[in-house]
Amino acid sequence: MTQAPATPQATRRQHDREIVALAVPAFGALVAEPLFVMADSAIVGHLGTAQLAGLGVASALLTTAVSVFVFLAYATTAAVARRVGAGDLQAAIRQGMDGIWLALLLGAAVIAAVLPTAPALVNLFGASDTAAPYGSTYLRISALGIPAMLVVLAATGVLRGLQNTKTPLYVAVAGFVANAGLNAGLVYGAGLGIAGSAWGTVTAQCGMAAVYLTVVVRGARRHGASLRPDLGGIRASAQAGVPLLVRTLSLRAILMIATAVAARLGDADIAAHQIVLSLWSLLAFALDAIAIAGQAIIGRYLGAEDARGARQACRRMVEWGIAVGIVLGALVVIARPVFLPLFTNDPAVRDAALPALVIVALSQPICGIVFVLDGVLMGAGDGPYLAGAMLTTLAVFAPVALLVPTLGGGLTALWAAMTLMMAVRMLTLWLRARSGRWLVTGATR
């Protein structure tokens, strides 16, 4: 007796359960990551202004270096999820091991580049004479943890591809607690100062990487997957990551241009911009959690050769993105009077930030669509299109943003340009999603 096809309501409920099960733990893990820097800043800040300034420069350099390689998580998630959908867990974990080996190789290359150039890099970022030695010390020690940080990215991608976002949440929370405890103990208990903060962070990161590797190795042994490096697989992982690297660098360029333009508008505007950007980034975590669920779910459907299921899941996640965007936008409007005093008492900064926050609030549904479709196309392994779309977005945004100081409008105009940027991304991603060209099924793309 054939089973009756699922009703639309039942299908939506199934997708909702999957999205919530993956997105909620992913959101927790995403929020835990920036808490590392906050904990370091809180502990080092009591050592003195010069130490905190040095930490700020070094942290910015480390964050940039690691964010460039976020494709290790994205590309690995999509590749592993496809294999899971095809029912080949052995190949899925083998694919994940290729990503981890690539992370180790890239981490070693970054160490080799950073250790001898740390003082020059710190000076390049404008550290003062008093802050530069502290920044160099922190950067050199923390660079030793970069391979572990990249392994965490790749291994997180493996687990997400295996439809497991709870383990990354547990590891992120445990890592944050360990990092805070080690930092406090080494900075003050052992009297190591800013070097103690760096060693504490490196130790916590290596511990997180060790836990991830233990989980992945156990899975590999359970399913008979090889742990040895495979040059062909590592090369394929790198090739899949190149378009996502282009996408990430283009996005970083957009954010850097926005900050540079805000700096030209005056002290009040740049201060207000940093406040608005921090909120915008926080809201992005909530939307990115749905995107991460999209990567895992879409990859699995396509690996199972279920194009129809992938399209239905995409549609439902877009609905989620819009709904969450509307809620977040409303919260921004409601919380403005409470949010701004947490950062500044300067009336000029508040006056600059208030209208920009309204624009951020109104743009959240657009952001919801963008983040979801970005995750969907990543899950489909559609990296080359994402790279081209982001380059197009950069080409549109850059001249508009650079004209803001000339044409006037201040920070409000700059954030209108940021909203234009998100609208262009939405258009390029929607056109691709609608075309169906991303619906390439099979264990590999």
Side-chain angles (χ1 to χ4, degrees):
M1 183 175 179
T2 58
Q3 187 175 7
T7 63
Q9 293 81 2
T11 300
R12 283 197 296 271
R13 285 196 296 270
Q14 177 189 347
H15 290 319
D16 290 345
R17 286 194 295 269
E18 287 184 329
I19 293 167
V20 171
L22 291 171
V24 171
F27 174 69
L30 288 169
V31 171
E33 290 173 8
L35 293 179
F36 269 72
V37 177
M38 291 179 63
D40 288 2
S41 299
I43 292 169
V44 171
H46 292 285
L47 293 174
T49 301
Q51 289 90 333
L52 184 58
L55 171 67
V57 172
S59 294
L61 285 162
L62 288 165
T63 301
T64 300
V66 174
S67 66
V68 165
F69 297 114
V70 73
F71 69 83
L72 288 166
Y74 294 159
T76 304
T77 298
V80 171
R82 275 184 176 270
R83 297 284 191 178
V84 169
D88 192 348
L89 289 178
Q90 182 186 74
I93 295 175
R94 175 64 261 180
Q95 191 99 42
M97 285 304 306
D98 293 335
I100 290 173
W101 280 111
L102 176 61
L104 287 170
L105 292 173
L106 291 172
V110 173
I111 286 180
V114 170
L115 286 182
T117 61
L121 289 171
V122 169
N123 288 328
L124 182 65
F125 268 60
S128 66
D129 291 340
T130 54
Y134 296 111
S136 298
T137 297
Y138 189 91
L139 182 59
R140 274 186 167 146
I141 297 172
S142 296
L144 300 176
I146 286 178
M149 296 166 74
L150 299 189
V151 166
V152 167
L153 283 177
T156 299
V158 176
L159 295 182
R160 288 172 181 171
L162 294 170
Q163 318 296 296
N164 176 1
T165 56
K166 289 184 179 179
T167 299
L169 171 61
Y170 301 149
V171 175
V173 172
F176 167 71
V177 173
N179 177 65
L182 286 167
N183 268 258
L186 293 174
V187 171
Y188 297 111
L192 296 179
I194 195 169
S197 176
W199 282 118
T201 300
V202 168
T203 304
Q205 289 162 347
C206 289
M208 292 171 66
V211 172
Y212 274 119
L213 288 174
T214 300
V215 173
V216 174
V217 168
R218 284 178 179 173
R221 289 175 175 169
R222 188 181 310 120
H223 296 287
S226 173
L227 298 174
R228 294 179 179 178
D230 175 62
L231 292 180
I234 294 172
R235 190 182 303 112
S237 295
Q239 289 171 345
V242 169
L244 295 180
L245 175 61
V246 173
R247 168 201 168 274
T248 300
L249 290 174
S250 300
L251 181 56
R252 296 291 300 185
I254 287 170
L255 297 178
M256 289 175 65
I257 290 170
T259 300
V261 170
R264 292 176 61 188
L265 297 176
D267 290 346
D269 285 293
I270 184 61
H273 176 71
Q274 289 304 112
I275 294 171
V276 176
L277 185 62
S278 67
L279 178 61
W280 189 78
S281 300
L282 178 63
L283 298 174
F285 284 132
L287 299 172
D288 203 25
I290 305 174
I292 287 169
Q295 294 172 29
I297 293 170
I298 295 299
R300 192 189 75 230
Y301 272 113
L302 294 178
E305 301 196 13
D306 186 358
R308 181 172 178 271
R311 190 181 283 279
Q312 289 176 334
C314 172
R315 185 181 302 113
R316 188 57 178 161
M317 280 184 282
V318 168
E319 293 171 356
W320 268 81
I322 294 171
V324 173
I326 291 172
V327 172
L328 292 176
L331 289 175
V332 170
V333 173
I334 294 170
R336 281 186 307 157
V338 178
F339 176 75
L340 282 175
L342 295 176
F343 291 87
T344 181
N345 293 319
D346 188 334
V349 176
R350 291 190 188 186
D351 289 344
L354 276 171
L357 285 174
V358 172
I359 293 177
V360 168
L362 294 175
S363 69
Q364 286 309 295
I366 296 174
C367 294
I369 296 171
V370 168
F371 275 82
V372 167
L373 291 181
D374 208 38
V376 165
L377 296 183
M378 283 185 190
D382 206 12
Y385 182 84
L386 289 172
M390 189 60 79
L391 286 171
T392 300
T393 303
L394 174 59
V396 173
F397 171 78
V400 174
L402 293 172
L403 283 173
V404 168
T406 303
L407 298 180
L411 192 67
T412 304
L414 177 59
W415 275 93
M418 289 286 285
T419 302
L420 171 65
M421 178 270 293
M422 294 303 290
V424 173
R425 289 186 69 188
M426 182 181 69
L427 177 62
T428 57
L429 297 174
W430 176 77
L431 289 173
R432 185 64 167 181
R434 186 184 180 189
S435 74
R437 294 177 183 173
W438 55 279
L439 290 166
V440 181
T441 60
T444 58
R445 185 177 171 86

